Amino acid sequence: MNKITIIGGGNLGKSIISGLSNSNLFEAKNITVVDKSKYNLKEVEEKLGVSTSQNIIESIKDVKWVILCVQPRQLNAVLQEIKDVLTKDQILISTVTGTSIAEINEVVPNNKVVRVMPNTGAAKKLSMTCIAANDDVKEELSIVEKMFDTIGETLIIEERLMQAATVLGASGIAFFLRFLRAMIQGGIQMGFHPHEAQIIAVQTAIGAATLVAENGTHPEREIDKVTTPQGCTIEGLNEMEHQGLSSSVIKGVMASYEKINTIK
Ligand SMILES: NC(=O)C1=CN([C@@H]2O[C@H](COP(=O)(O)OP(=O)(O)OC[C@H]3O[C@@H](n4cnc5c(N)ncnc54)[C@H](O)[C@@H]3O)[C@@H](O)[C@H]2O)C=CC1
Ligand SMILES: O=C(O)[C@@H]1CCC=N1
């Protein structure tokens, strides 16, 4: 139970490793990262003290959990490499975008697979991780849930919603950050230095998200509390909507969703 190997120490892999290595669930020495890139391995070894390897086969020996953290087009090569050495009791946890449990089981039919979609907030223990598995994977599902609880929030969903979860939760980090960047640019235009505008915009974003997260209110209820009749907030909000803010965000989300359904 206590050993885990992550295949792929790239953007997402590093975020997960950083979160897991700072949790109580796995000792850093029981976390192994395998990557083709020496540069990635050196970075995680030095920063996080986890074990590293360039040999996939060696790295999954005697390990209960194997996280697949490679790009969709790299997955088949990894599965082909491990399929004959995997033992039945090893559990695969796939973060790979757009690849279903059934598609993974076509190559490795004897292993249980849990599909997860975390985000890069994992590095700060603030991931939103959606998790899905088939009905026969109940016990392992709850362990995977505990695993990802150590790096943020988790939600168990139906596998059919995994693509939507990827757009909203994983790509969502980029979508929110683009809005944040625009706020910073507005702040600079009003007279702040970029670093001052960033401090103000970032703390305001944290405050806004925390109000909704902790009060459980609808965003519009919190918006009403800021919006003075005939004041500057409603002026700004209405101009943003005249320019298509909500509409462009929804269209962007749906474009991303259409794209993800074509990724293989
Ligand atoms: N970046 C993100 O925020 C998120 C990414 N994802 C998904 O997670 C997966 C990984 O994404 P990223 O980390 O962004 O990709 P990445 O390209 O940064 O990392 C993939 C890593 O896998 C390594 N790799 C590839 N083939 C290998 C092999 N055969 N053996 C050993 N190492 C190998 C590469 O050297 C690379 O370091 C993708 O399927 C992506 O769609 C999911 C959620 C969020
Ligand atoms: O951009 C992508 O396709 C992947 C999936 C979610 C985040 N990165």
Side-chain angles (χ1 to χ4, degrees):
M1 151 67 195
N2 289 327
K3 281 191 173 178
I4 190 160
T5 290
I6 293 124
I7 302 179
N11 292 318
L12 182 67
K14 278 197 206 92
S15 306
I16 296 174
I17 297 153
S18 167
L20 280 183
S21 64
N22 285 307
S23 76
N24 296 326
L25 219 53
F26 296 97
E27 285 183 54
K29 69 173 168 44
N30 289 335
I31 301 173
T32 301
V33 187
V34 201
D35 203 295
K36 287 199 279 199
S37 147
K38 272 192 204 156
Y39 170 78
N40 278 347
L41 293 180
K42 194 163 177 266
E43 194 187 336
V44 288
E45 203 170 59
E46 282 172 4
K47 279 197 192 149
L48 305 168
V50 295
S51 311
T52 59
S53 170
Q54 283 184 290
N55 185 328
I56 294 193
I57 306 288
E58 282 300 315
S59 75
I60 62 170
K61 267 189 195 153
D62 304 324
V63 161
K64 174 83 182 175
W65 308 95
V66 177
I67 303 191
L68 301 167
C69 218
V70 295
Q71 290 186 13
R73 75 186 97 88
Q74 300 163 332
L75 178 65
N76 193 44
V78 169
L79 291 177
Q80 292 298 337
E81 192 171 349
I82 63 177
K83 70 175 185 185
D84 295 328
V85 288
L86 276 176
T87 54
K88 235 180 120 183
D89 57 326
Q90 292 183 302
I91 317 297
L92 295 179
I93 303 172
S94 171
T95 69
V96 180
T97 302
T99 307
S100 67
I101 294 170
E103 284 165 322
I104 293 175
N105 275 148
E106 274 173 28
V107 189
V108 285
N110 300 322
N111 291 86
K112 290 181 176 172
V113 178
V114 180
R115 229 177 126 183
V116 299
M117 188 45 66
N119 67 32
T120 52
K124 302 291 172 197
K125 296 193 183 181
L126 284 171
S127 177
M128 177 65 237
T129 308
C130 291
I131 309 175
N134 289 335
D135 289 344
D136 61 331
V137 189
K138 284 214 166 57
E139 200 183 314
E140 294 82 0
L141 182 65
S142 77
I143 299 174
V144 173
E145 190 184 12
K146 283 198 189 85
M147 219 180 265
F148 283 86
D149 277 343
T150 68
I151 57 169
E153 277 288 328
T154 52
L155 188 69
I156 293 178
I157 62 170
E158 291 174 54
E159 196 192 3
R160 71 178 177 87
L161 287 170
M162 216 51 183
Q163 320 288 56
T166 305
V167 170
L168 207 56
S171 306
I173 291 267
F175 301 155
F176 281 113
L177 289 178
R178 195 46 80 74
F179 182 79
L180 189 59
R181 186 187 77 166
M183 288 289 285
I184 293 168
Q185 287 172 322
I188 299 166
Q189 194 164 354
M190 289 187 294
F192 286 109
H193 285 291
H195 75 277
E196 293 171 328
Q198 179 156 334
I199 291 168
I200 297 169
V202 167
Q203 185 57 28
T204 304
I206 293 170
T210 307
L211 282 171
V212 173
E214 293 191 0
N215 293 344
T217 42
H218 189 278
E220 205 58 31
R221 178 75 196 97
E222 300 300 337
I223 289 173
D224 281 348
K225 294 181 193 168
V226 188
T227 311
T228 307
Q230 295 188 315
C232 60
T233 310
I234 192 66
E235 197 76 21
L237 283 172
N238 283 348
E239 182 59 23
M240 287 178 196
E241 291 305 340
H242 292 317
Q243 298 295 335
L245 176 69
S246 295
S247 172
S248 72
V249 171
I250 295 163
K251 281 186 175 169
V253 165
M254 293 314 292
S256 181
Y257 185 60
E258 274 167 37
K259 173 69 186 179
I260 201 172
N261 287 315
T262 69
I263 291 177
K264 269 285 158 294

